[in-house]
Amino acid sequence: MVRRSDTKQRMVGAARQLIREHGYHSMALSDVVERSASPRGSVYYHFPQGKVQMAAEAAEAHTREQVDMINELAGEASSAEQLVRAYVDSAQEGMLTSGYGRGCTIAPLVLEVGEDSEELGAASRRAFILMTETLALRLTVLGADAAAARELAHATVAGVEGAMVTSRALRSPEPFDAIRETVAARACALTAVGD
């Protein structure tokens, strides 16, 4: 028997995929039901506020995954340069694996909804703040001073977001290659100054 929490998690995962592939406005609740193989009536049981609540929970799931990934990559890295390279590589791999069909879960919420929804605006801000702060903290541990680590974290997250858009449009990995080399060189320079 499927547990209720499994149904909700499947629906959040399906919403996240649909937002990444087609955007927030194109995500229909019926598509979420179909992709998650969930009972139709479960949408409003698990998401009484509807699509906005579902998208906010998808954003939170994306954020948790990104923070966990940054921490995992940092645990395997021996330098700030290795960490930013691994972060960019991970995003590039996701784009290539999807055949250039997948973007970020958060970006469509910012671009399509903006501040029209207080809940989605807050979820978007929280996502980028947590991702950037986690990356900055890990860069500090790996030798960058706090201000430089914060600057590099912002540049890396923003660069990856931009690379997702341009890579998808061009159907090419080159934008990821360019941002990887740029942030890696900056990371190397920052930690060399600290030595």
Side-chain angles (χ1 to χ4, degrees), residues 22-192:
H22 307 292
Y24 173 76
H25 288 308
S26 295
M27 179 190 76
L29 295 178
S30 59
D31 293 335
V32 172
V33 167
E34 182 180 327
R35 187 168 288 196
S36 65
S38 299
R40 194 165 293 281
S42 62
V43 171
Y44 290 104
Y45 175 79
H46 290 294
F47 305 98
Q49 285 93 40
K51 185 174 177 176
V52 169
Q53 181 185 2
M54 186 180 289
E57 292 196 29
E60 289 172 17
H62 177 82
T63 305
R64 280 191 307 274
E65 180 184 275
Q66 290 295 302
V67 166
D68 289 348
M69 181 192 67
I70 291 166
N71 286 327
E72 183 179 323
L73 293 173
E76 298 168 0
S78 60
S79 68
E81 179 185 359
Q82 281 184 353
L83 175 54
V84 294
R85 282 184 180 279
Y87 183 74
V88 176
D89 286 345
S90 177
Q92 182 180 42
E93 182 181 328
M95 183 61 71
L96 295 176
T97 301
S98 74
Y100 300 100
R102 170 182 105 174
C104 174
T105 304
I106 310 303
L109 302 181
V110 174
L111 297 172
E112 295 178 38
V113 183
E115 292 302 313
D116 290 345
S117 165
E118 187 176 318
E119 186 174 0
L120 294 181
S124 299
R125 282 189 299 281
R126 223 175 12 256
F128 284 122
I129 288 168
L130 284 171
M131 289 162 54
T132 303
E133 286 180 353
T134 302
L135 186 56
L137 174 63
R138 291 308 198 147
L139 290 166
T140 302
V141 170
L142 289 167
D145 80 356
R150 186 169 176 75
E151 177 186 285
L152 180 58
H154 275 294
T156 304
V157 171
V160 164
E161 290 296 316
M164 282 187 192
V165 173
T166 53
S167 177
R168 192 172 179 184
L170 299 171
R171 300 191 68 74
S172 167
E174 286 182 59
F176 286 104
D177 297 337
I179 196 64
R180 179 191 312 101
E181 295 314 310
T182 301
V183 295
R186 181 69 178 139
C188 190
L190 289 178
T191 51

